[in-house]
Amino acid sequence: MEILTILETLEELVERSASVPFSGKCLIDREEVFEIIKEMRIKLPDDIKQAKWVKEERQRILLEAQKEANGILKDAENKIASLVDEHEITKKAYEQANEIIAGAQKNAREIRLGAREYADSVLNKVEEILTDATDVIRTNRAELK
């Protein structure tokens, strides 16, 4: 900022000015001081405008960064919610699959038991028929002797 340079020039003027003995005061060229003040008045609005622009630009950048950060957070929250939903769906699918498998195994066990009972029943009937047939054959053979 040019105003700082001008202030340094003013300080140098005061430092190199002649001192009044025993007073702590100094003699300064009035025209030179007024020239520096005039230059300060000219440069000050430009520096203030530049500082104001820098401040506004900084504020705009901060707002933009905040919006972007909020967007990133919202996207992350949505992604997390989506992953949680997917996890829940997957968990429910596995639970349903396990229920279906358990039901199928139960049905298969019942079918096996039913098939064994049926086979045992058929074989028992065949055995009875064969026993009756064997008895008839024995009786007929005995009559033949």
Side-chain angles (χ1 to χ4, degrees), residues 7 15 27 34 38 40 48 50 55 69-70 72 89 95 97 99 103-104 110 114 117 119 143:
L7 286 173
E15 286 176 1
L27 297 175
F34 283 142
K38 180 180 174 184
M40 285 175 69
I48 290 174
Q50 184 180 6
K55 180 184 171 190
N70 289 341
I72 290 170
I89 290 170
E95 288 173 2
E99 289 174 12
E110 289 174 2
E117 288 176 7
E143 288 177 7

Side-chain angles (χ1 to χ4, degrees), residues 129-144:
I129 293 170
L130 288 176
T131 302
D132 289 343
T134 303
D135 289 343
V136 169
I137 292 172
R138 277 191 195 133
T139 305
N140 287 339
R141 274 185 78 205
E143 288 177 7
L144 287 175

Side-chain angles (χ1 to χ4, degrees), residues 35-138:
E35 190 61 36
I36 291 173
I37 291 172
K38 180 180 174 184
E39 190 177 346
M40 285 175 69
R41 283 191 179 138
I42 293 171
K43 299 294 182 181
L44 193 58
D46 291 338
D47 285 352
I48 290 174
K49 285 179 191 174
Q50 184 180 6
K52 184 178 177 183
W53 178 84
V54 167
K55 180 184 171 190
E56 289 171 354
E57 189 65 14
R58 177 182 173 268
Q59 189 66 25
R60 184 191 65 77
I61 290 170
L62 287 173
L63 286 174
E64 189 175 302
Q66 185 64 45
K67 284 180 186 176
E68 188 174 337
N70 289 341
I72 290 170
L73 282 174
K74 187 175 181 181
D75 289 346
E77 288 170 354
N78 289 339
K79 182 67 174 175
I80 288 170
S82 173
L83 290 173
V84 167
D85 288 345
E86 285 179 20
H87 177 70
E88 288 299 318
I89 290 170
T90 304
K91 187 177 174 182
K92 287 181 181 179
Y94 277 120
E95 288 173 2
Q96 287 178 346
N98 288 334
E99 289 174 12
I100 291 169
I101 290 170
Q105 289 173 340
K106 181 181 175 186
N107 288 343
R109 206 172 20 256
E110 289 174 2
I111 291 171
R112 262 195 316 272
L113 290 175
R116 283 185 180 167
E117 288 176 7
Y118 176 73
D120 186 50
S121 170
V122 168
L123 289 174
N124 190 29
K125 189 71 172 167
V126 169
E127 184 180 16
E128 287 175 9
I129 293 170
L130 288 176
T131 302
D132 289 343
T134 303
D135 289 343
V136 169
I137 292 172
R138 277 191 195 133

